Amino acid sequence: MEMDTPELEPLSASLDLQFDYTRSVGPIIGRFLGALRSRRIVGVRGSDGRVHVPPVEYDPVTAAPLAEFVEVAGTGTVKTWSWVPNPGPEHPLAEPFAFALIQLDGADTSILHAVSAPGPEAMSTGMRVKVRWAAETVGHINDIACFEPGELVLETASSGDLATFLNEAAIKMIVTPIELNIQHSVSAQESSYLRALGEGRIIGARCPATDKIYVPPRGASPTHGLPTTDEVELSDHGTVTTFCIVNVPFPGQRIKPPYVAAYVLLDGADIPFLHLILGIDADQVRMGMRVRAVWKPREEWGMTGENITHYEPNGEPDAAFDTYSLHL
């Protein structure tokens, strides 16, 4: 059924993307992080005698691997700085602070970190600062909560003791939470699609050159580039074209394997889309199986594809292969 749709503002929403990134750190960074967990700071000596903090894995001059660790002090000198008057959630401190390059005593390079100070007037190039450790240290750069103006005394271990300590303290893996917040605005056609879902309907858009129906609707035909201005309401019944049985568990998985992710070709549409197939054993799902959408309770609907939780068999005979063979 073709529809006339009034002009409405495109939809926009805030999206929060989060995941934990697990990575190995290698023998050099692993020892640096292990030392931080014990509230000690180490660097590595290059072929020219310079001490690099944070340590580098390869010599900047010769590119040879480096392995001679040197412990440095928790005090140092600000080489340059920039004031942050309005910290955001991504910053290390909630109150205004300075980002600074700090050359620690015993090092020949600078480390970038936060300096807690009453205001920009309290900051200056050449000022002395000391480390402020986090209340709980776990083997992360944030074990250094920040630096602050002042001096402290640090007793360093002998080189022999340091080597033994670092071998025992080395960290092999770290988990870093990754977060990205974006304001996502969708096209006018996508907005119409989402508004229709909020009413319990599924709509597509017609290509004016081929009469093919695309769902979700595009702003233009993917084959001819022409505007797809005609919206068409579709059934929520369809046919499984291809599918995959998911057997591998992963963090955050909402459904216990095995389960099926399948491409469903809705009746009247010319392109399938990916969705879950439930309500049937995974090994019973097949190409050509006829399915229907399972909607959330109406009071839980929003302008989102999550209104349809999954598809399930609708009891009809399987579709003939030639009815979907061009949509695989």
Side-chain angles (χ1 to χ4, degrees):
M1 180 178 66
E2 296 193 9
M3 308 154 50
D4 291 327
T5 304
E7 291 292 331
L8 297 172
E9 288 293 321
L11 297 174
S12 181
S14 177
L15 298 181
D16 293 312
L17 309 178
Q18 297 178 332
F19 66 94
D20 287 340
Y21 178 52
T22 303
R23 57 159 292 191
S24 59
V25 293
I28 303 301
I29 299 301
R31 285 167 170 76
F32 172 69
L33 296 177
L36 291 180
R37 184 170 56 185
S38 297
R39 304 192 177 199
R40 298 168 71 173
I41 305 174
V42 297
V44 67
R45 192 185 305 279
S47 61
D48 57 1
R50 292 191 307 153
V51 175
H52 300 269
V53 178
V56 294
E57 296 177 305
Y58 297 95
D59 195 303
V61 178
T62 67
L66 297 178
E68 182 186 349
F69 284 91
V70 179
E71 186 162 6
V72 300
T75 53
T77 302
V78 171
K79 308 302 288 186
T80 187
W81 58 277
S82 178
W83 189 250
V84 182
N86 300 301
E90 70 278 9
H91 287 122
L93 298 176
E95 67 275 5
F97 69 97
F99 272 127
L101 285 173
I102 301 164
Q103 185 175 334
L104 297 176
D105 297 341
D108 295 287
T109 62
S110 297
I111 183 171
L112 177 66
H113 218 295
V115 176
S116 176
E121 67 281 353
M123 293 295 303
S124 63
T125 299
M127 70 182 289
R128 297 286 293 167
V129 292
K130 61 182 179 181
V131 68
R132 181 200 297 172
W133 294 101
E136 180 183 0
T137 53
V138 296
H140 192 277
I141 189 61
N142 290 336
D143 288 349
I144 300 176
C146 64
F147 287 83
E148 56 191 9
E151 298 277 358
L152 57 77
V153 176
L154 176 68
E155 295 183 0
T156 59
S158 67
S159 59
D161 291 336
L162 179 62
T164 301
F165 160 72
L166 291 176
N167 288 336
E168 295 174 351
I171 289 175
K172 296 182 179 180
M173 305 287 290
I174 61 171
V175 178
T176 302
I178 304 297
E179 180 177 358
L180 176 65
N181 177 265
I182 60 174
Q183 187 68 26
H184 179 59
S185 297
V186 298
S187 68
Q189 290 76 21
E190 291 170 313
S191 296
S192 295
Y193 174 73
L194 294 172
R195 287 189 173 100
L197 285 174
E199 300 170 354
R201 301 182 296 114
I202 302 174
I203 63 171
R206 186 188 305 278
C207 169
T210 63
D211 281 339
K212 288 185 176 181
I213 307 298
Y214 295 97
V215 58
R218 280 88 162 141
S221 165
T223 57
H224 289 72
L226 299 173
T228 53
T229 56
D230 292 338
E231 291 185 352
V232 181
E233 186 168 341
L234 299 167
S235 167
D236 65 356
H237 288 232
T239 301
V240 171
T241 59
T242 58
F243 65 93
C244 170
I245 299 178
V246 179
N247 289 292
V248 179
F250 54 84
Q253 198 169 31
R254 299 180 182 180
I255 303 172
K256 183 179 179 180
Y259 61 90
V260 172
Y263 278 97
V264 177
L265 180 67
L266 293 180
D267 296 346
D270 290 284
I271 189 169
F273 60 88
L274 188 65
H275 219 295
L276 294 171
I277 305 295
L278 302 176
I280 184 175
D281 290 342
D283 60 2
Q284 296 301 305
V285 176
R286 55 201 178 272
M287 295 173 65
M289 188 174 70
R290 296 285 293 159
V291 293
R292 63 188 173 199
V294 177
W295 296 76
K296 286 182 176 180
R298 188 178 185 88
E299 61 271 16
E300 298 179 19
W301 287 357
M303 288 184 285
T304 169
E306 293 181 352
N307 289 356
I308 298 175
T309 61
H310 62 277
Y311 282 77
E312 66 179 9
N314 67 4
E316 296 177 3
D318 289 359
F321 179 70
D322 60 4
T323 64
Y324 61 89
S325 61
L326 299 180
H327 305 286
L328 301 179

